[in-house]
Amino acid sequence: AQTVTQSQPEMSVQEAETVTLSCTYDTSESDYYLFWYKQPPSRQMILVIRQEAYKQQNATENRFSVNFQKAAKSFSLKISDSQLGDAAMYFCAYRSGNPKAGGKLTFGQGTILTVHP
Amino acid sequence: NAGVMQNPRHLVRRRGQEARLRCSPMKGHSHVYWYRQLPEEGLKFMVYLQKENIIDESGMPKERFSAEFPKEGPSILRIQQVVRGDSAAYFCASSPWGGSTEAFFGQGTRLTVV
């Protein structure tokens, strides 16, 4: 079974600075997808960024980028120019690329990000 | 285009009562996933359904929990004889097909058992 580990229960950053959230995962599969979700106090789960395992290039979405190290099974999220609205719980998630596995996600425990003005 | 709608947002039940949680997927989506988020934890997969079919219920507790996704109407997660340990946020996500790499989440239902 796949597991996802987020070793940082809490992180903080100053507004306009950069912060990196860590995520490691364990799988024997070669085809899979990795995600970062943001959960603000409203509880809404918002997709931040997605990475396909077969792509070597790291995904980027505006101020959000990932450092995907497939051999090390590491998938960190970098938030540049942090904004107050970035404050939330962040979850790393894994999805198998095997069609028989369906589309279920395996989540990490989450990292609470605080942004200081 | 309305997103995934879950209701109620908050539900309070006494121990021993039944809880019914509803999820209306996005328009055109026929695949629904239910997840449970216990306090201070990540989301845990419970069940994956297509219209009128349960595809994967490997995360469902063996007793008291059931789920359905009828041909017409929302998906329902039912918890019978609730206990304090069932208190959690329950999330629904939908996707247009099983191979889709993106699932859209509802805002969740917070169940409190008193």
Side-chain angles (χ1 to χ4, degrees):
Chain A
Q2 295 81 22
T3 58
V4 178
T5 302
Q6 293 177 248
S7 58
Q8 306 156 316
E10 297 182 28
M11 290 286 284
S12 64
V13 64
Q14 290 292 132
E15 199 175 2
E17 298 291 308
T18 295
V19 64
T20 298
L21 308 184
S22 300
C23 172
T24 58
Y25 58 95
D26 189 23
T27 184
S28 58
E29 298 179 322
S30 58
D31 184 20
Y32 52 88
Y33 303 85
L34 296 165
F35 305 84
W36 278 98
Y37 280 89
K38 170 185 177 181
Q39 186 181 44
S42 67
R43 284 207 316 261
Q44 180 71 54
M45 293 289 287
I46 301 166
L47 177 63
V48 174
I49 200 164
R50 169 177 56 208
Q51 175 79 44
E52 292 88 344
Y54 63 85
K55 288 187 177 179
Q56 292 186 341
Q57 187 172 8
N58 289 323
T60 299
E61 288 287 341
N62 300 314
R63 298 182 295 107
F64 299 87
S65 61
V66 298
N67 183 3
F68 174 46
Q69 301 289 327
K70 191 171 184 179
K73 295 179 182 173
S74 170
F75 182 61
S76 60
L77 173 70
K78 184 170 86 170
I79 306 174
S80 304
D81 185 26
S82 297
Q83 300 175 0
L84 294 177
D86 295 334
M89 175 81 92
Y90 285 81
F91 290 101
C92 178
Y94 172 102
R95 179 195 181 279
S96 171
N98 183 350
K100 292 183 179 179
K104 66 184 179 187
L105 296 166
T106 301
F107 287 88
Q109 307 92 316
T111 297
I112 299 172
L113 177 66
T114 303
V115 181
H116 298 289
Chain B
N1 186 15
V4 178
M5 303 301 291
Q6 288 188 250
N7 66 81
R9 288 292 312 277
H10 303 275
L11 182 62
V12 179
R13 283 288 177 265
R14 295 187 182 278
R15 281 177 293 172
Q17 290 185 318
E18 178 180 285
R20 280 187 169 230
L21 289 62
R22 295 175 187 77
C23 169
S24 296
M26 285 184 70
K27 187 176 181 181
H29 288 195
S30 58
H31 297 252
V32 164
Y33 306 82
W34 284 94
Y35 295 84
R36 177 165 65 175
Q37 184 179 26
L38 294 170
E40 311 300 326
E41 294 187 14
L43 282 72
K44 296 283 196 305
F45 168 77
M46 299 181 75
V47 62
Y48 164 38
L49 311 101
Q50 292 179 32
K51 288 277 188 180
E52 300 184 279
N53 284 305
I54 297 175
I55 308 301
D56 180 356
E57 55 182 347
S58 58
M60 285 279 269
K62 294 287 183 278
E63 297 178 351
R64 301 187 299 107
F65 285 72
S66 63
E68 64 177 10
F69 189 16
K71 187 177 180 180
E72 301 291 338
S75 175
I76 307 285
L77 179 67
R78 180 202 281 185
I79 312 172
Q80 296 178 297
Q81 300 175 314
V82 296
V83 301
R84 289 251 171 90
D86 297 333
S87 295
Y90 292 82
F91 288 89
C92 167
S94 74
S95 65
W97 55 291
S100 172
T101 57
E102 186 160 358
F104 296 84
F105 281 84
Q107 287 194 285
T109 294
R110 180 171 296 282
L111 172 66
T112 302
V113 180
V114 296

